[in-house]
Amino acid sequence: QVQLVESGGGLVQAGGSLRLSCAASGRTSNIYVMGWFRQAPGKEREFVAAIRWSGATTYYADSVKGRFTISRENAKNTVYLQLNSLEPDDTAVYYCAAGVRGMPVVEAGYNLWGQGTQVTVSS
């Protein structure tokens, strides 16, 4: 079984940056893709970014392209999400997820979720 632990959330002013981390432990050899989703108050959870566990393919939501960057460090079994040029609309709980199927941009492609980390962007 794989476990995911997120870190790096916090409070930042608009225009600022944060880096989120997601450390995976356990049977990581089954992972096909790692993703980040977010859920703002009163809204549905939405896809943010994803990266293949092997290879370099990345996926981004249109709303974050050019501002957020997903990367991984396989030696540490860790995926990162660099958040730049943050806007108040980016305020949400950010969830890391691991998937074993080839469906990187939808929740159905993921079968394991972290506990979430809060990102708050003040105007």
Side-chain angles (χ1 to χ4, degrees), residues 64-93:
V64 306
K65 279 181 184 176
R67 300 189 299 122
F68 293 5
T69 303
I70 190 169
S71 61
R72 71 175 192 280
E73 188 172 356
N74 284 4
K76 295 185 177 181
N77 285 341
T78 299
V79 172
Y80 304 99
L81 186 67
Q82 179 69 39
L83 291 67
N84 296 331
S85 302
L86 281 162
E87 304 166 354
D89 283 348
D90 295 317
T91 296
V93 177

Side-chain angles (χ1 to χ4, degrees), residues 3-9 19-24 34-37 45 78-79 93-98 112-118:
Q3 292 183 321
L4 304 175
V5 177
E6 300 116 326
S7 61
R19 189 176 79 157
L20 307 183
S21 299
C22 176
M34 294 286 291
W36 288 94
F37 288 73
R45 188 157 58 185
T78 299
V79 172
V93 177
Y94 284 70
Y95 296 91
C96 174
L112 185 66
W113 295 82
Q115 81 283 359
T117 185
Q118 177 71 47

Side-chain angles (χ1 to χ4, degrees), residues 6-19:
E6 300 116 326
S7 61
L11 173 64
V12 64
Q13 289 187 330
S17 298
L18 285 173
R19 189 176 79 157

Side-chain angles (χ1 to χ4, degrees), residues 38 46-49 59-66:
R38 67 185 181 185
E46 64 177 2
F47 169 76
V48 175
Y59 310 84
Y60 292 97
D62 288 344
S63 59
V64 306
K65 279 181 184 176

